[in-house]
Amino acid sequence: DPNNPDNVIQLYTGWSIEASQEWNNGNGWSREHVWSKSHGDFGTSKGAGTDVHHLRPCDPSVNSAKSNRWFDNCSTPYYDNGTFTGCYTSYDDWVWQPKEEVKGDVARMIFYMATRYEGENGEPDLELIDYLPSNNNTPEPVYAKLNTLLQWHLEDPVDDWEINRNNIIYNDYQHNRNPFIDYPEYATLIWGEPINI
């Protein structure tokens, strides 16, 4: 949290919480794999399971509600203990929509994972798809929904906070970058412009 270095900002809600309160019997924060580790069955193994570019702090109950849902537009507001989180879900489809301020961040993390992990050296070959699988819990290394993620990427452009995080990951931790933060145009060069539906 740039306003309080003792805190972390939870991804889906934007809530700030004391960094030392990781888990804390479910009252603190938990580690969210933005590309759900079950979709690719990579768990917390080195590589995709520990890649800092898609690991973010998250409220445990919100993390549980998001589960391994696909990313798509939804209309059912998600409340946590009576407080609107800014996120949406669906009663009909296994989908999740993060709050407006991080929709593009989420898209760029997913784009990074799909291009970084290509099945080499025992790593999963992660792929983006543009449909919702019939099996919500498929271990196949896929994530949906591409068209929606492209829309979110354009609607919520890269900001200074994202650039700073990318720089810290490069300089202090993994020594690699998310190219979709440095060069946002790569997304549409690779996957094309989103289709308005």
Side-chain angles (χ1 to χ4, degrees), residues 6-197:
D6 293 329
N7 283 18
V8 293
I9 295 177
Q10 299 175 343
L11 173 63
Y12 298 124
T13 62
W15 300 337
S16 181
I17 188 168
E18 192 176 332
S20 64
Q21 295 300 307
E22 184 176 4
W23 187 242
N24 189 20
N25 296 314
N27 297 311
W29 60 273
S30 61
R31 179 177 54 187
E32 157 72 338
H33 290 76
V34 178
W35 184 298
S36 298
K37 55 191 177 187
S38 61
H39 297 313
D41 198 26
F42 52 77
T44 56
S45 59
K46 188 174 181 182
T50 60
D51 195 308
V52 183
H53 282 291
H54 86 123
L55 295 178
R56 296 288 297 274
C58 188
D59 180 86
S61 59
V62 175
N63 194 356
S64 178
K66 186 265 180 181
S67 185
N68 64 351
R69 293 173 184 267
W70 314 110
F71 290 114
D72 200 7
N73 294 314
C74 322
S75 58
T76 303
Y78 180 73
Y79 289 85
D80 184 63
N81 292 324
T83 302
F84 179 48
T85 60
C87 303
Y88 293 83
T89 188
S90 171
Y91 293 123
D92 301 318
D93 295 310
W94 190 248
V95 291
W96 183 262
Q97 177 181 316
K99 65 184 291 177
E100 293 292 325
E101 294 85 349
V102 296
K103 287 163 88 173
D105 304 48
V106 165
R108 287 179 283 278
M109 286 185 263
I110 296 295
F111 297 158
Y112 163 85
M113 293 295 286
T115 53
R116 164 61 185 85
Y117 294 97
E118 292 292 307
E120 299 169 350
N121 303 314
E123 294 173 342
D125 183 6
L126 304 180
E127 298 293 335
L128 285 169
I129 56 175
D130 202 28
Y131 60 90
L132 300 179
S134 56
N135 177 1
N136 295 328
N137 296 306
T138 180
E140 293 297 313
V142 297
Y143 225 98
K145 192 172 178 191
L146 175 58
N147 191 66
T148 302
L149 291 165
L150 287 167
Q151 289 174 339
W152 292 355
H153 168 63
L154 297 176
E155 290 170 4
D156 174 32
V158 174
D159 59 26
D160 290 341
W161 193 91
E162 239 180 315
I163 292 168
N164 184 56
R165 185 173 189 274
N166 200 27
N167 290 336
I168 290 169
I169 291 171
Y170 175 74
N171 291 319
D172 301 337
Y173 295 98
Q174 273 183 199
H175 310 296
N176 74 332
R177 305 183 68 81
N178 181 337
F180 300 98
I181 294 172
D182 293 329
Y183 303 98
E185 66 274 17
Y186 282 3
T188 52
L189 287 172
I190 294 170
W191 292 289
E193 295 285 337
I195 300 166
N196 291 326
I197 300 173

